[in-house]
C-alpha cells in the first residue's frame, strides 16, 4: 500500500496557492470561473448568490454576491459536473447581460 499523505499535502498546498492567485485575478476581470464539486448559483433577495466549488481539502466555501446593476460581470464560466443553477438565476443573468457557459470533459 502506498502512503499518499505527502502527495495529498502537496496537492492541497498547490491548490490553495493557485486558488489564492485566481481570487486575486478575479477581482480585476469581468469573468467568474467556477470549478470543483458542489457549485451553486441562485437568487436570494434580488441578488445573485454564487457558491464556488471545492477543488481540494479542507473544503473552502467561497461565496460571491452580485447585486443588480452594480457589478461588472459579463460572463460566468462553469467547469464542473456537480452542483446546480436555478431558473431564477438563469433569468437574473439574462436580464443583467451575463453569459453563462458550461464546459464539459465529455
Amino acid at each position: 500500500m502506498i502512503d499518499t499523505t505527502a502527495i495529498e499535502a502537496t496537492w492541497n498546498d498547490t491548490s490553495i496557492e493557485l486558488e489564492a492567485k485566481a481570487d486575486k485575478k478575479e477581482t480585476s476581470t469581468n469573468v467568474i470561473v467556477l470549478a470543483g464539486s458542489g457549485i451553486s448559483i441562485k437568487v436570494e433577495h434580488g441578488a445573485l448568490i454564487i457558491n464556488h466549488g471545492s477543488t481540494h481539502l479542507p473544503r473552502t466555501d467561497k461565496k460571491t454576491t452580485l447585486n443588480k446593476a452594480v457589478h461588472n460581470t459579463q460572463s460566468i464560466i462553469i467547469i464542473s459536473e456537480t452542483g446546480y443553477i436555478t431558473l431564477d438565476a438563469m433569468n437574473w443573468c439574462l436580464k443583467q447581460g451575463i453569459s453563462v457557459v458550461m464546459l464539459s470533459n465529455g
Side-chain angles (χ1 to χ4, degrees):
M1 180 106 168
I2 299 172
D3 182 15
T4 60
T5 306
I7 296 169
E8 289 173 4
T10 301
W11 174 260
N12 283 339
D13 291 345
T14 303
S15 296
I16 290 167
E17 179 182 325
L18 292 174
E19 186 175 271
K21 287 180 181 180
D23 288 347
K24 188 174 184 180
K25 180 72 175 169
E26 184 177 285
T27 60
S28 65
T29 185
N30 54 10
V31 176
I32 295 174
V33 178
L34 304 176
S37 65
I39 65 111
S40 67
I41 307 173
K42 60 186 175 182
V43 176
E44 288 182 1
H45 309 292
L48 191 70
I49 308 298
I50 302 169
N51 287 306
H52 297 247
S54 178
T55 57
H56 59 279
L57 295 174
R59 183 176 171 91
T60 54
D61 292 331
K62 179 182 173 195
K63 184 190 290 188
T64 300
T65 301
L66 301 180
N67 292 298
K68 289 181 181 178
V70 294
H71 61 84
N72 67 345
T73 304
Q74 292 182 349
S75 300
I76 298 172
I77 299 174
I78 301 169
I79 309 172
S80 178
E81 295 182 2
T82 62
Y84 67 90
I85 180 168
T86 67
L87 293 176
D88 289 340
M90 292 295 290
N91 191 41
W92 193 98
C93 290
L94 178 67
K95 290 180 178 178
Q96 293 295 309
I98 299 173
S99 301
V100 179
V101 178
M102 181 175 172
L103 304 177
S104 176
N105 291 345

